[in-house]
Structure formats: structure tokens, C-alpha cells
Amino acid sequence: MQTTLRRLSNAMLQDLPSGVIGPTYDRSAITPGIVHIGLGNFHRAHQSWYLHRLMQQGKALDWGIIGAGVRAPDAAQRERLAAQDYLTTLIELDPAGRSAEIVGSMIGFVPVEDGNAALIAQIAKPAIRIVSLTVTEGGYYIDPVSKAFDAAHPDIQHDAAHPDSPKTAFGAMIAALKLRRANGASPFTAQSCDNLQGNGTILRQTLVSLARLSDPDLADWIEAKCSFPNSMVDCIVPATGPKELELVKSLGIEDASPVTHENFRQWVIEDAFCAGRPNWDSVGATFTDDVHAFEAMKIRILNGGHQLIANAGEVLSVEFISGCMDHSLIGAYFRKVASTEISPQVSAVPGMTPEAYVDLIDRRFSNPEIIDTVRRVAFDGSSRQTGFILPTLRDALAAGTPTRGLALSQAIWARMCEGTREDGSRIEANDPIWDKLTIAAKAAKTDPAAWLAQSDLYGDLAGHTSFSCDFSDWLTLIWSDGIEAALRSYLQE
């Protein structure tokens, strides 16, 4: 029997398909309080969902979300969401059964345009008290080795020279803060929701440093008046593709931009909001003064673990993360590295030891209902490897604890960046600096040191004898006998 499709809209909320939960609040009563820049799947499954849960209790109706973006694809997302009244179907993928709900906490999306005038005007409104972002780990204009602000980047140079018509989200935030200060309006909280350790601190660095290039007095005001809470965000949210579009149709809903997610969420936030905040803690978020321990555990084991398995899966033509975990060697490789090399560099947090967290991540990665591609997880390795793997490697080398598996991870990444799989098929460009990485990876086939010579990625690690020797041995073995032979050798050690 064919399912009757109903297009997602405000009007459709009165007659939802059986089993689909919709908003119980009056969406017409919501007023804006948050502008979120970079409105992809993760935001709609995470921050937007927490706010939606508050609204389901009749609370936080003055914290509605206005979406925003500064890239061309954001304009297409705006069109899709505007056509369905900014509603999103969230589908939870649990091995025990699926469930769906309609989230309605987003109420608008500013036009995406050159110069970002509409975005600046929206953020400048006094009702906006939080400006949040998910712009990817590599989007904060920081040097991957020194972690300093990259003032030489062309986008930053443009915004410094044209502060009233910026290209970047940060430039738009600064222009809006300039207007707010001139109009006597209060500052706002700038809230990063990206997977960066110390994400609030990094956002502060980017915003203040960019402002200082054109208006030092404004930079001082931003640094003194705005707040930048650190946070840890966690929920596995696959990209939306044909399978997800068909899945939402099977529920009887026509949604051009549905979101699937796992049956796990976590949000740990530093309680530093200069203009107020929703009470997210009443719907499951954790406010704490020690975000660092939580984020270190998550970034090093979950995000680092993703990098361990995704690159191996890509070279071995394993399409999905759950398939990597089901692979006899890749799954075991994750377990051994996470347990013996990463965990010793991670501290326990209230209610969770590193060892128990490895078990939790093993179960989450292995969820067969989550159709999460290795390509998505392996994207932007130049930011993710330097942010999720190399800090652990440095700490382990300093502590004298094992690093053989971490060295192997870098050899596998170098093998992937060569651009072909072991079956001979081509790996399409999957990094902002893919061409540079591929040149280094091809040279490293015969001279492994050529890969570690990328000082913008590895800094002084190339001079660490034990690591460089291990890396060279692993890459030589991979090119002679293959990824599986290297994994098998490591697991037998």
C-alpha cells in the first residue's frame, strides 16, 4: 500500500502521520533570540532540538532561532527550509526501533548575499542575545600547528579592509557588534557549537583578532563585553542523501531537508552568557565550569576514533562507519588504539571513565541504523587529524606511552590522500587542501619523510625519531603489502 505524502508545513502540523510527534506550542508566538550561522544537519539535531524540547514545555518562546549562512550552499538550504515554514523532521535511528518528531524552534532564515548586509542587520537587533555557529573545525582561521589566528588568509584580509561588507561570519558578527555599540544595545554571547577543544576560547580569538585589524577600540569592547562559553557537543548526525529522503517519505512526510540521528545526545556548556540564555539544563544539557575534561574525552576518543577508522575504510572500499566497525581488522584497530594509546591521555569525568567511554563509542559507531559514510567522516582531514589525533600523539610521546597505532593512523591517512583505493578506484577530493596533500602523499610512496615534511600540519613532530621511524615503517608496509597487512601486524604486536 502506497503511503500518502503530505508536505511539511505549519498547516500540516494539525494532521501529522501516525507516530510522528509535532510541536505542542504555538509557533506564531515565538520571537527571535538566537541567530545560528551554518545551519546544517548537526545544528537541527542538536541545539535546535534542545530548544524545541524547552518549547514543548511552554518555555523559551522568546529564544526562537533565525538561521543564517555565508556560503552559496546556504542559499539553497534557505530555500528548502523556507518552503516548509522552517520545520525539520528528525528521525532517530535506534537498533530497537525508529521514531520521528517535527522540530519547530527555527522561525526564519536571513537572505544569503554578498556583503552579508541582511545578516549584519539581523544580528544587530537587540532581541538577538546569542549568535551561535557550526562552521566546521577548519572554519575559524587558525594555524593547525601553532593554533594562532591566521591574519594572512585572503578572507581575513578582505574583511579587515572592508569591515562593513565582510565575507566571513566573523566579519558579519563584528559589523553587527559595531552597530549595537553605536546604538547603545547590549553585547551578545558568541557560542561555538563546533568540535574544537576550547571552542569558545578559539571563537574569542578569531573574533577579537579580526576586529583588531580594522578597529582596535571595538576589539577591546568585544573582548570586555561579549562572552564566549566553551562547550562540548555530541550526536552522530549523518548527511542527508537519497536514502534519508526516501526514509522520511516512508513516514508519509514530504520534507526536502530531513535529518537522521543516533539515539544519543550530549551538550556540556560553560555557563558564561552575558545576555541570558535558555534553560537548556532542564532538558538534558549540562552546565559546568570544567568543560575541558568532557570535551577532551569526546574529541580524542570519538572524533579521533572516527579518523582512525574512516581513512582505513575509504582505502578498503568500506562505505559506512558501522561497516568499518564490523570489519574484523578496522574495528579491532579502533578498540586497541582507543584503549591503549588514547585513553591514557584522557581524564575521567563525573560518571564516566575513559575505558567505559571507549565501550560507549564502540556501540555508537557500530549502530547499523546510522548510515554514516566514511567519506563524510574523513572530510577535511587537514583540520580533523591536526585537531583530533595529533594533540594526543604529542601528549603520548611526551609521556612515553605507546604511539605505534597513532603513527599507523598517520600512515593510513597518507595512503588515503594518494587518491586511490586498493581496488584501483579513485578517491575524489575530500579536503580543502586536497591537491597539496595528494602531491605529498605521492612523494611519500618512495620517501615517507615527504609526508611528515608538511610543517603546517606536523610542526616539529617530524623530528621526533620514534614517531617518524614508526610512520616510515608503517607506510612502507602499507604500500608493499596493503592496509590489512599493516592492521594485522599492529594487532599482533
Side-chain angles (χ1 to χ4, degrees), residues 311-313 315-318 323-324 326-333 408 412 415 422 474 477-492:
N311 296 327
V315 177
L316 294 174
S317 304
V318 181
C324 289
D326 197 43
H327 187 284
S328 61
L329 297 174
I330 301 176
Y333 169 62
L408 175 55
I412 294 172
R415 171 64 182 85
E422 290 191 355
W474 286 129
L477 177 60
I478 286 169
W479 278 116
S480 65
D481 295 352
I483 292 279
E484 290 191 347
L487 293 174
R488 191 174 292 110
S489 176
Y490 170 70
L491 293 171
Q492 290 172 350

Side-chain angles (χ1 to χ4, degrees), residues 182-206:
N183 295 335
S186 65
F188 55 71
T189 295
Q191 183 180 25
S192 171
C193 297
D194 280 300
N195 286 313
L196 292 162
Q197 193 158 331
N199 54 11
T201 302
I202 290 169
L203 176 54
R204 178 194 293 272
Q205 172 183 275
T206 299

